[in-house]
Amino acid sequence: MKSKRILVTGGAGFLGSHLCERLVRGGHDVICLDNYFTGRKKNVEHLMDFHNFELMRHDITFPIFVEVDQVYNLACPASPVHYQHNAVKTIKTSVMGAINVLGLAKRVKARVLQASTSEIYGDPTQHPQQETYWGNVNPIGFRSCYDEGKRVAETLFFDYHRMNDVDIRIMRIFNTYGPRMHPDDGRVVSNFIVQALKNNDITVYGDGSQTRSFCYVDDLIEGMIRLMNKDGFNGPVNVGNPGEFTIKELAEKVIELVGSSSMVIYKPLPSDDPRQRRPDITLAKEKLDWQPEIKLEQGLRKTIKYFKDNLD
């Protein structure tokens, strides 16, 4: 593939850092943009010696002026703990961030990919979720700043595409895990692993019967790059692992793999927490020739090793 100049917003975050690494090692010139609200410099410090990697501190709610061929828009806190910390800032990041990257793409005629989310489906009444499903979202709840912010971003992407012929891609990301997750981000995989490594009680919200589908980060990044470089297909497209597990099953698997003495304890389910979440990836298979390769146990082992090596 011909070398490109690529902007990754949120590039020092969990997903962004893996994407930057993959693109840098692929020979592309990469600008990693982050304001470090949830992103961390240590996630990309191993890339600083590469001549084709550049780090820029910037908040995407303000316009950005660079010359690039492609933009991956990953800038937004993605875990409930972080996106509820400052709900107004979260929705501004999604909405103003989308306007700013779309304005950039329009000016320099770049292709732009929006990292959207399975959260746009809300607490779904359709299972598994297909891209044609419009969702079941509470517009005024605690999660709304993220859910509705991402929904508005998708609206903006398609409006810029229809009105200004901006070359867009939209990817709906389902639960993803792997090395470089923030240990305090409140996501279920990192929560369970950190608690198990410390032999603390593992906290399950609700009765543990709610389900999630977990995609390892390497599989996710492969799908993202395939979507960006697929001509003639805008999306939206689900990218995630259709393997479905209850939260209780995940907790028990993490305890087993860590060899922990942790006990599972149960607490009340948070407001608007989805009962089921599983992607229909038929479209990703058909359009991108993509499906996940890494099984949950294999991915959990790699993630546990990362946390074991990096926990203070």
Side-chain angles (χ1 to χ4, degrees):
M1 189 190 303
K2 183 184 168 197
S3 176
K4 291 183 169 63
R5 189 159 170 77
I6 301 173
L7 171 67
V8 179
T9 74
F14 162 48
L15 291 181
S17 63
H18 284 276
L19 176 62
C20 285
E21 180 173 353
R22 176 78 183 271
L23 295 171
V24 165
R25 295 189 187 281
H28 300 288
D29 285 318
V30 176
I31 303 172
C32 169
L33 181 149
D34 211 296
N35 70 347
Y36 307 119
F37 174 58
T38 57
R40 297 181 291 175
K41 284 183 184 176
K42 71 182 242 180
N43 285 342
V44 291
E45 64 186 1
H46 64 295
L47 300 176
M48 297 300 288
D49 291 334
F50 285 80
H51 69 88
N52 54 332
F53 179 76
E54 183 180 344
L55 190 56
M56 181 185 297
R57 186 177 193 127
H58 183 83
D59 188 322
I60 202 60
T61 60
F62 297 94
I64 178 76
F65 299 95
V66 290
E67 299 289 327
V68 290
D69 303 305
Q70 295 180 344
V71 181
Y72 288 85
N73 186 35
L74 277 62
C76 189
S79 74
V81 167
H82 289 143
Y83 67 63
Q84 291 174 23
H85 174 73
N86 186 338
V88 172
K89 179 69 173 177
T90 294
I91 200 162
K92 283 175 71 175
T93 300
S94 283
V95 177
M96 296 304 300
I99 290 170
N100 287 329
V101 298
L102 287 161
L104 167 66
K106 179 184 171 185
R107 283 194 303 275
V108 302
K109 301 192 181 333
R111 181 175 290 179
V112 57
L113 182 146
Q114 168 69 3
S116 192
T117 171
S118 59
E119 290 288 340
I120 66 110
Y121 299 123
D123 187 4
T125 56
Q126 181 191 86
H127 189 75
Q129 294 82 58
Q130 298 173 319
E131 292 84 355
T132 51
Y133 177 55
W134 290 355
N136 177 38
V137 178
N138 176 2
I140 58 170
F142 290 109
R143 303 171 75 103
S144 308
C145 59
Y146 184 69
D147 300 5
E148 298 288 33
K150 289 288 192 178
R151 286 163 71 94
V152 171
E154 288 199 12
T155 301
L156 283 162
F157 265 67
F158 270 95
D159 285 341
Y160 266 78
H161 174 62
R162 286 185 287 254
M163 294 185 67
N164 300 305
D165 203 28
V166 174
D167 191 4
I168 66 163
R169 302 288 183 272
I170 292 179
M171 174 176 172
R172 292 176 178 165
I173 298 171
F174 283 68
N175 287 55
T176 305
Y177 70 99
R180 299 188 208 137
M181 294 183 84
H182 197 294
D184 302 319
D185 72 359
R187 292 190 233 199
V188 65
V189 172
S190 50
N191 264 9
F192 286 1
I193 290 174
V194 170
Q195 289 170 335
L197 286 170
K198 294 179 176 179
N199 291 308
N200 294 338
D201 289 337
I202 287 189
T203 311
V204 170
Y205 294 95
D207 63 5
S209 64
Q210 67 271 38
T211 65
R212 294 292 183 273
S213 303
F214 302 102
C215 185
Y216 189 68
V217 62
D218 291 356
D219 283 334
L220 190 284
I221 296 302
E222 175 65 26
M224 187 178 285
I225 291 172
R226 288 192 188 198
L227 174 60
M228 175 63 93
N229 294 294
K230 175 72 174 179
D231 292 330
F233 177 59
N234 304 117
V237 61
N238 292 334
V239 176
N241 194 320
E244 188 176 6
F245 299 87
T246 68
I247 297 301
K248 185 171 184 289
E249 284 174 329
L250 177 70
E252 290 167 349
K253 177 58 71 175
V254 167
I255 289 171
E256 175 194 331
L257 293 176
V258 170
S260 174
S261 60
S262 297
M263 303 294 290
V264 177
I265 62 169
Y266 297 90
K267 292 192 174 180
L269 198 64
S271 172
D272 300 326
D273 194 64
R275 289 159 300 188
Q276 291 180 304
R277 188 62 64 69
R278 176 181 159 207
D280 183 318
I281 61 168
T282 303
L283 195 59
K285 288 178 180 177
E286 176 191 324
K287 297 291 188 181
L288 307 179
D289 191 25
W290 177 90
Q291 61 182 352
E293 304 290 336
I294 297 172
K295 304 292 185 194
L296 181 63
E297 182 166 327
Q298 182 186 358
L300 284 175
R301 288 185 187 279
K302 294 182 179 187
T303 311
I304 289 165
K305 182 181 185 309
Y306 168 80
F307 277 106
K308 197 177 284 186
D309 293 344
N310 287 276
L311 269 183
D312 296 328

